[in-house]
């Protein structure tokens, strides 16, 4: 047993005081130059709270251009090396040179420093993730996922098999393409970035798939109970309060609250940052409001990535469960404390006006953070002068890079990995040997104080199908061990298909909310069985006192059989629809059952409550948004039925308004965590200059530096149909006032209501104005159905939207406060195609953030497809867009290097086009 227990006990601390939030290193004077420093000299530039320090684990040439790491069961470090990333200011993007690598680093003498390097696989193109599995080494080389095998033990790939060919995109953006493989508590592999439509699971030696949605930008973190954390460059921390795959069940949802939920605090300052050095080297530092006038530090996050929850045992215990987030543009790592306020999770910086780990070396680029086998924290330093992707580099940043010689002597070939330690405790020097552990030893490791050991033990038991230890696992799940240990045992039993009803039923009544939450998910195996004791136990948890359990129950009810789940979901919504996360989680499992659920909500004689009203509104809105004739006719007739209670009729009508009338308030508490991005903050700063004035977003220095970066090689290689010069119709913007609903016949009772004297008449008339049917008096020309080719383009555009646009503009096209404007009813989204195409090709500066140019990474076909989707989804009736239009606009605007402004685009809408 020495294999597992040596060094396994948690250190007893002489003093366990909360972190001193008053600690701050202040802003240090930046060096006049930014030369390449040795790892030893770089470490002299580090600032950490008292008692903490960084130790070098690996540096060049042992490790080069590292962007991600993983650990095998014996504690060897597997590194993704990414020399393709902006090697200089001349190489176009995406850089598809086959020069990427997966390397293995070993510490052969156990002194805490890696001393042996083996290249496992090279010749890779844009490799983004590695996962050391018992069955092989999983490597992500978008769009391909490979399972590579070392058949002779020399740590070099000998064979490989293709697992998937559609994970991300070959020519995807270098910053946000698919990345990361985190083995989740649920035994699926979780990723971040765009182009992800499914999660992988290795079961009985074969990979299967589960649909999911793309979330986050770079990196995934997991806590003890399986919650996944991600972020985006200008949003510090986001979490799945309900696992994202649930929301992939219902494509007709208005929103997906609970998935990728942004966390903040009462003062809404989670995005405000405190670097230790001035930051003139960010892409928009020329802009007023981006940096502080007093000291030149950046005001808010601009490159947040790789959220990691510390779950080790060799740092002060108050760090356990904290989130660590890298910010390579600001040269620091943030520490975030999570808190439960009784209704949801909240997040705050651990320090007042300070960051956990900062550097005055401008080349310090933390891009990945990992829990380590030795119980400490590992920080991967890309160590680059140039961080910004070339396609988005402004003239200002290009000049800054060249002035500071940040692209010299060469951009590649360096990199470091640092260990964060504390003076009061030593790292665990036990050499992991879990590759040789017996099933019984792996069960024991599920109780290890270091989360890395627990996670590795779970994975190995599932990969090896540990049926020999089912009795031990079952006993552990029912024991008095820590909740995190019992949950691990439950999910191992599930992963090897040896979990039983009795074990889950007992867990559903556990005193720990985290055990109950997992038990609800595990109970889905039997929820479709009428009369099952598990089903009865889950239904009782609709009224669980804890918000987390209720939200999971809401999602899991969708696993019940049709005919049963409608009653259960209606019951939950009637009580808890004032919680938007519970509402959306429940609706995610209601696809096709919404009309029956609405009937049940309206049949009750219960008095009006906030929750009941919100339930009727959201179910009605989902029905209208789905666009199916019969349910829509029935729903509108309910509004006109004077025998129903007035409040119910009003609630159903409001649902139609939510679906069709722009700016209708959606029920539920406001989305917590809509903390302002740096873009929005800068634009709202008092004294901000005009967009094109000095200091404005599109002012001097704001133009894009590289014209060739805006011209993709595939731009004109896939023209398919349609004459050049424009889409059908000169206006191109039917439905410009908002989404339109096309139905087959007049909703007679609803139309009569709209013309009458009922108190709902004016609201009904407003909704009716957005509904069209054949022969409607005064209606606009009927919307021309999409041709077969246009429908195919629409479907392709749906995937582009989900992979690239959805994170900001949201699944319902209604945008995200202070981040992205709504597309539903947008004048510019529905403008003539020659205008709208300019936004995607060149970007747009507006009152809400910056729409980045994506013309460099999308073909004409792809742009035409996503525009067609946006202009015909959500009930909108805009004309489709053909690739020829995009090609023509691309040629007209080839020399433009600045994003468009609203004023410029609106002038084209109202008058002449052809702006360059």
């Amino acid at each position: 047993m020495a294999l597992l227990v040596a060094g396994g006990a948690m250190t007893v601390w002489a003093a366990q005081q909360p972190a001193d939030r008053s600690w701050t290193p202040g802003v240090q004077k930046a060096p006049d130059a930014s030369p390449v420093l040795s790892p030893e000299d770089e470490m002299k530039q580090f600032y950490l709270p008292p008692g903490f320090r960084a130790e070098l684990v690996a540096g060049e040439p042992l490790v080069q251009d590292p962007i991600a790491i993983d650990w095998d069961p014996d504690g060897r470090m597997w590194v993704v090396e990414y020399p393709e990333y902006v090697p200089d200011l001349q190489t176009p993007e995406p850089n598809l040179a086959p020069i990427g690598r997966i390397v293995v680093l070993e510490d052969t003498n156990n002194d805490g420093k890696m001393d042996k390097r083996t290249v496992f696989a090279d010749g890779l193109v844009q490799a983004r993730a590695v996962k050391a599995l018992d069955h092989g080494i999983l490597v992500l080389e978008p769009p391909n996922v490979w399972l590579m095998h070392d058949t002779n033990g020399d740590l070099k790939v000998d064979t490989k098999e293709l697992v998937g060919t559609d994970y991300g995109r070959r020519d995807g953006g270098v910053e946000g393409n698919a990345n990361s493989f985190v083995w989740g508590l649920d035994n699926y592999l979780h990723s971040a970035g765009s182009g992800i439509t499914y999660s992988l699971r290795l079961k009985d030696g074969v990979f299967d798939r589960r649909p999911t949605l793309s979330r986050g930008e770079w990196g995934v973190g997991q806590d003890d109970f399986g919650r996944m954390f991600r972020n985006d460059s200008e949003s510090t921390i986001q979490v799945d309060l309900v696992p994202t795959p649930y929301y992939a069940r219902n494509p007709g949802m208005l929103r997906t609250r609970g998935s990728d939920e942004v966390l903040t605090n009462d003062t809404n300052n989670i995005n405000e940052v405190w670097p230790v050095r001035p930051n003139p080297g960010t892409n928009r530092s020329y802009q007023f409001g981006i940096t502080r006038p007093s000291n030149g530090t950046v005001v808010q996050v601009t490159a947040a990535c790789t959220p990691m929850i510390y779950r080790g045992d060799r740092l002060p215990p108050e760090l356990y469960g904290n989130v660590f987030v890298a910010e390579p543009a600001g040269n620091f790592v943030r520490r975030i404390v999570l808190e439960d306020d009784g209704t949801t999770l909240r997040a705050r910086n651990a320090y007042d006006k300070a960051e956990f780990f900062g550097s005055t070396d401008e080349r310090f680029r933390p891009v990945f953070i990992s829990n380590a086998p030795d119980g400490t924290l590992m920080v991967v330093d890309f160590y680059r002068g140039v961080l910004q992707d070339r396609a988005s580099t402004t003239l200002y940043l290009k000049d800054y890079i060249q002035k500071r010689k940040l692209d010299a002597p060469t951009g590649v070939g360096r990199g470091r990995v640092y260990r964060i330690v504390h003076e009061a405790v030593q790292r665990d020097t036990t050499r992991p040997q879990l590759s040789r552990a017996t099933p019984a030893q792996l069960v024991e490791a599920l109780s290890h104080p270091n989360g890395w050991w627990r996670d590795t033990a779970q994975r190995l038991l599932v990969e090896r199908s540990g049926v020999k230890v089912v009795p031990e696992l079952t006993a552990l799940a029912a024991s008095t061990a820590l909740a995190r240990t019992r949950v691990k045992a439950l999910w191992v039993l599930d992963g090897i298909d040896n979990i039983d009803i009795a074990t889950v039923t007992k867990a559903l009544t556990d005193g720990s909310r985290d055990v109950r939450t997992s038990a609800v998910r595990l109970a889905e195996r039997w929820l479709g069985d009428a009369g099952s004791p598990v089903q009865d136990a889950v239904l009782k948890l609709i009224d669980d006192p804890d918000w987390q359990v209720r939200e999971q129950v809401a999602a899991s009810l969708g696993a019940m059989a049709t005919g049963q789940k409608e009653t259960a979901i209606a019951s939950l919504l009637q009580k808890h629809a004032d919680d938007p996360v519970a509402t959306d989680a429940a609706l995610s499992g209601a696809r096709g059952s919404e009309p029956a659920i609405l009937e049940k909500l309206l049949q009750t004689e219960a008095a009006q409550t906030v929750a009941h009203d919100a339930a009727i509104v959201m179910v009605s809105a989902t029905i209208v948004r789905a666009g199916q004739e019969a349910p829509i006719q029935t729903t509108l007739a309910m509004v006109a039925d004077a025998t129903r209670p007035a409040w119910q009729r009003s609630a159903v009508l409001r649902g139609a308004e939510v679906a069709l009338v722009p700016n209708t308030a959606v029920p539920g508490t406001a989305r917590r965590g809509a903390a302002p991005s740096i873009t929005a903050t800068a634009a709202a700063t008092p004294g901000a200059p005009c967009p094109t004035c000095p200091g404005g977003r599109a002012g001097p220095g704001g133009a894009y530096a590289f014209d060739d970066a805006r011209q993709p090689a595939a731009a004109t290689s896939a023209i398919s149909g349609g004459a050049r010069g424009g889409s059908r119709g000169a206006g191109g913007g039917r439905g410009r006032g908002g989404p339109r609903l096309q139905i087959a016949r007049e909703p007679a009772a609803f139309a009569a209501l709209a013309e009458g004297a009922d108190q709902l008449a004016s609201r009904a008339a407003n909704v009716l104005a957005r509904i069209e049917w054949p022969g409607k008096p005064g209606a606009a020309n009927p919307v021309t159905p999409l041709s077969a080719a246009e429908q195919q383009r629409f479907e392709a555009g749906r995937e582009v939207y989900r992979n690239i646009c959805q994170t900001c503009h949201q699944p319902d096209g209604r945008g995200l406060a202070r981040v992205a404007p709504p597309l539903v009813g947008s004048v510019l989204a529905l403008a003539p195609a020659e205008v709208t195409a300019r936004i995607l090709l060149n970007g747009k500066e507006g009152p809400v953030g910056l729409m980045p140019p994506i013309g460099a990474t999308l073909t004409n076909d792809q742009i035409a497809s996503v525009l067609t989707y946006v202009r015909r989804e959500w009930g909108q009736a805009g004309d489709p867009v053909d690739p020829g239009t995009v090609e023509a606009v691309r040629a007209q605007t080839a020399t433009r290097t600045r994003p468009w402004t609203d004023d410029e685009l609106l002038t084209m809408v109202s008058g002449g086009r052809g702006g360059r």
Side-chain angles (χ1 to χ4, degrees):
M1 290 301 174
L3 170 72
L4 302 178
V5 300
M10 183 64 183
T11 301
V12 178
W13 294 82
Q16 296 186 11
Q17 300 297 322
D20 180 6
R21 296 199 72 224
S22 65
W23 172 78
T24 176
V27 179
Q28 309 299 311
K29 185 180 183 300
D32 294 332
S34 296
V36 173
L37 300 179
S38 67
E40 293 73 20
D41 286 337
E42 183 193 11
M43 292 168 66
K44 297 174 183 177
Q45 316 302 314
F46 291 165
Y47 289 81
L48 291 103
F52 292 92
R53 70 179 186 277
E55 297 178 345
L56 181 67
V57 176
E60 67 272 4
L62 199 67
V63 64
Q64 303 165 33
D65 312 299
I67 60 168
I69 63 174
D70 191 41
W71 306 88
D72 68 20
D74 295 334
R76 292 177 297 205
M77 183 189 296
W78 293 72
V79 185
V80 181
E81 294 188 341
Y82 196 24
E84 307 102 297
Y85 186 81
V86 198
D88 50 51
L89 295 181
Q90 288 73 49
T91 303
E93 292 174 345
N95 181 3
L96 301 181
I99 55 177
R101 297 177 294 268
I102 304 295
V103 304
V104 188
L105 303 184
E106 299 177 73
D107 175 7
T108 60
N109 59 9
N110 204 28
D111 67 350
K113 293 185 177 181
M114 300 296 173
D115 50 44
K116 182 179 179 181
R117 168 188 173 93
T118 305
V119 177
F120 173 76
D122 56 11
L124 302 177
V125 178
Q126 301 275 326
R128 312 273 293 177
V130 62
K131 185 66 185 175
L133 300 173
D134 204 44
H135 282 67
I137 306 302
L138 198 67
V139 175
L140 174 57
E141 186 188 29
N144 297 325
V145 179
W146 299 98
L147 186 63
M148 300 184 177
H149 302 280
D150 167 18
T151 60
N152 57 12
D154 64 354
L155 291 179
K156 296 182 179 181
V157 61
D158 298 303
T159 63
K160 64 180 182 180
E161 55 189 285
L162 194 58
V163 174
T165 60
D166 52 356
Y167 216 79
R169 293 174 39 235
R170 180 77 160 189
D171 58 349
V174 291
E175 292 183 334
N177 205 2
N179 63 86
S180 305
F181 286 131
V182 172
W183 187 291
L185 182 66
D186 61 359
N187 298 307
Y188 279 88
L189 289 160
H190 296 257
S191 300
S194 63
I196 297 170
T197 59
Y198 59 87
S199 302
L200 289 167
R201 178 177 61 170
L202 182 58
K203 191 173 182 66
D204 298 326
V206 178
F207 285 96
D208 62 20
R209 300 180 176 191
R210 173 183 65 182
T212 191
L213 304 173
S214 295
R215 291 291 187 262
E217 191 165 347
W218 178 260
V220 183
Q222 175 181 216
D223 68 10
D224 281 342
F225 301 104
R227 282 184 293 228
M228 292 295 162
F229 293 77
R230 299 177 179 86
N231 53 16
D232 294 291
S233 56
E234 295 188 3
S235 176
T236 305
I237 184 67
Q238 294 139 218
V239 64
D240 282 356
L241 297 175
V242 174
T244 287
Y246 284 103
Y247 298 90
R249 298 180 295 183
N250 190 349
M253 295 184 65
L254 287 155
R255 63 184 184 188
T256 56
R257 286 292 303 273
S259 166
D260 213 34
E261 192 82 358
V262 184
L263 299 183
T264 186
N265 50 61
D266 291 338
T267 54
N268 213 29
N269 66 352
I270 194 63
N271 289 339
E272 189 174 9
V273 297
W274 306 95
V276 298
R277 58 159 288 136
N279 309 114
T282 68
N283 203 32
R284 299 285 174 181
S285 287
Y286 65 87
Q287 184 185 352
F288 178 86
I290 296 294
T291 58
R292 296 181 175 92
S294 60
N295 55 29
T297 58
V298 70
V299 176
Q300 293 179 223
V301 290
T302 67
C305 63
T306 190
M308 194 282 301
I309 292 74
Y310 176 66
R311 300 166 57 226
D313 63 336
R314 295 305 166 118
L315 289 174
E318 61 265 24
L319 272 67
Y320 194 94
N322 288 183
V323 185
F324 290 82
V325 173
E327 220 294 6
N331 316 111
F332 66 83
V333 172
R334 162 159 288 189
R335 174 187 163 201
I336 295 172
V337 177
L338 298 178
E339 297 167 333
D340 185 336
D341 70 356
T343 63
T344 191
L345 292 182
R346 309 288 268 166
R348 63 170 174 84
N349 187 3
Y351 307 100
D352 184 21
K353 298 184 178 181
E355 303 298 343
F356 174 72
F357 177 17
S359 175
T360 58
D361 184 354
E362 195 165 17
R363 295 174 186 260
F364 173 61
R365 306 295 191 183
V367 295
F368 198 85
I369 309 173
S370 172
N371 285 292
D374 64 8
T376 64
L377 196 67
M378 296 285 178
V379 177
V380 175
D381 177 9
F382 198 36
Y383 205 74
R384 286 288 188 93
V386 180
L387 181 70
Q388 182 69 49
D389 66 300
R390 184 173 181 272
S392 301
T393 297
T394 59
L395 283 173
Y396 164 83
L397 182 58
K398 176 188 175 184
D399 292 343
Y400 180 87
I401 289 169
Q402 293 175 332
K403 177 182 177 182
R404 301 277 289 187
K405 299 181 180 180
L406 291 172
D407 56 340
T410 177
V412 300
R414 296 175 179 79
R416 293 89 193 257
V417 179
Y418 293 104
R419 174 190 294 112
I420 305 301
V421 299
H422 192 275
E423 63 186 14
V425 65
Q426 298 296 314
R427 69 181 182 90
D428 186 354
T429 57
T430 305
R431 282 182 176 271
Q433 299 179 44
L434 291 176
S435 66
R436 298 187 289 278
T438 66
Q441 289 173 323
L442 292 175
V443 172
E444 180 185 354
L446 295 176
S447 300
H448 198 285
N450 183 353
W452 178 85
W453 288 70
R454 298 193 301 272
D455 291 350
T456 305
Q458 174 188 352
R459 176 177 60 77
L460 292 174
L461 283 166
V462 172
E463 282 200 76
R464 297 173 183 176
S465 189
V467 294
K468 294 181 179 179
V469 287
V470 167
E472 291 89 340
L473 289 166
T474 303
L476 185 60
S479 71
T480 58
L482 293 174
R484 68 190 186 196
T485 300
R486 286 180 280 140
V487 164
K488 280 290 190 190
L490 287 169
W491 282 103
V492 171
L493 287 167
D494 181 75
I496 61 177
D497 286 327
N498 269 273
I499 197 161
D500 57 64
I501 289 180
T503 298
V504 173
T505 302
K506 183 176 187 299
L508 287 167
T509 61
D510 196 276
S512 165
R513 67 98 174 260
D514 297 303
V515 175
R516 297 198 303 279
T517 301
S518 275
V520 171
R521 293 180 67 186
L522 296 168
E524 292 172 11
R525 283 174 175 259
W526 303 282
L527 278 183
D529 300 336
S532 166
V534 168
Q535 186 182 95
D536 292 339
V538 169
L539 291 176
K540 290 178 181 178
L541 295 181
I542 287 176
D543 295 316
D544 193 278
D546 191 275
W547 61 270
Q548 176 182 285
V549 178
R550 294 193 301 269
E551 290 174 355
Q552 181 57 52
V553 171
S556 294
L557 291 180
M560 297 179 68
T562 300
Q564 291 183 311
K565 69 178 176 182
E566 291 82 1
T567 300
I569 292 175
S571 175
L572 181 140
L573 289 175
Q574 182 178 339
K575 297 175 181 179
H576 303 301
D578 52 342
D579 174 0
V581 173
T583 300
D584 290 6
L587 290 174
S588 75
R591 184 179 185 182
S593 295
E594 295 94 341
I597 294 170
L598 180 60
E599 285 282 1
K600 293 183 181 298
L601 288 169
L602 296 175
Q603 287 172 1
T604 178
E605 297 180 358
Q608 181 182 12
T609 64
V610 172
H612 197 172
D613 188 90
I616 294 172
V617 172
M618 291 305 296
V619 176
S620 301
T622 305
I623 291 171
V624 174
R625 187 190 182 295
Q628 295 183 327
E629 178 78 16
I632 288 174
Q633 292 283 357
T634 301
T635 301
L636 294 177
M638 290 174 175
V639 181
D641 184 356
T643 66
R644 295 183 182 275
W647 73 269
Q648 291 187 358
R649 295 172 60 208
S650 179
V652 175
L653 178 56
R654 187 178 168 201
E657 291 169 327
V658 166
L660 296 175
V661 180
N663 303 317
T664 301
V666 181
T669 54
R671 187 181 182 100
R672 300 186 187 209
S677 67
I678 191 169
T679 302
T681 297
T685 302
C690 75
T692 57
C693 297
R697 183 81 179 204
Y704 298 112
F706 303 105
D707 291 342
D708 63 298
R710 318 238 71 76
Q711 304 295 324
T716 58
S717 63
I719 305 302
S720 58
R724 296 187 184 188
S727 54
R728 289 195 320 267
R734 283 193 295 266
R736 196 173 295 172
R740 289 288 192 271
L741 176 64
Q742 186 74 27
I743 55 179
R745 61 181 174 84
E746 177 185 18
F750 189 77
L753 172 67
E755 295 178 354
D758 190 279
Q759 61 181 351
L760 300 179
S762 63
R763 291 171 56 194
N766 195 21
V767 169
L768 196 66
R770 301 171 190 279
I771 303 177
E772 296 183 353
W773 60 88
K776 179 183 179 182
N781 294 329
V783 178
T784 304
L786 297 177
S787 67
E790 290 165 346
Q791 184 63 39
Q792 186 176 13
R793 199 174 300 144
F794 175 92
E795 297 299 333
R798 186 198 305 275
E799 295 307 308
V800 175
Y801 183 85
R802 286 178 175 174
N803 294 336
I804 298 178
C805 316
Q806 182 169 282
T807 298
C808 294
H809 289 288
Q810 299 294 287
D812 60 2
R814 294 174 183 269
L816 185 60
R818 300 182 179 180
V819 176
L823 298 175
V824 175
S826 165
V827 171
L828 292 178
L830 297 168
E834 296 89 344
V835 176
T836 309
R838 283 169 164 77
I839 300 174
L840 274 69
L841 289 168
N842 307 114
K844 183 182 79 71
E845 170 66 26
V848 181
L850 172 75
M851 167 67 191
I854 57 177
T857 56
L858 295 183
T859 66
N860 296 332
D861 259 345
Q862 290 170 322
I863 291 176
S865 295
V866 73
L867 288 179
T868 297
Y869 172 75
V870 166
R871 293 152 74 92
R872 280 296 179 96
E873 181 64 313
W874 313 301
Q876 305 205 107
D879 286 329
V881 179
D882 66 78
T885 299
V886 181
E887 180 186 32
V889 175
R890 191 189 290 273
Q892 292 172 16
T893 61
T895 59
R896 187 175 181 93
T897 59
R898 293 181 180 176
W900 297 95
T901 66
D902 280 349
D903 288 343
E904 289 176 310
L905 294 168
L906 290 171
T907 298
M908 295 181 209
V909 173
S910 60
R913 303 170 202 164
R916 297 175 186 272

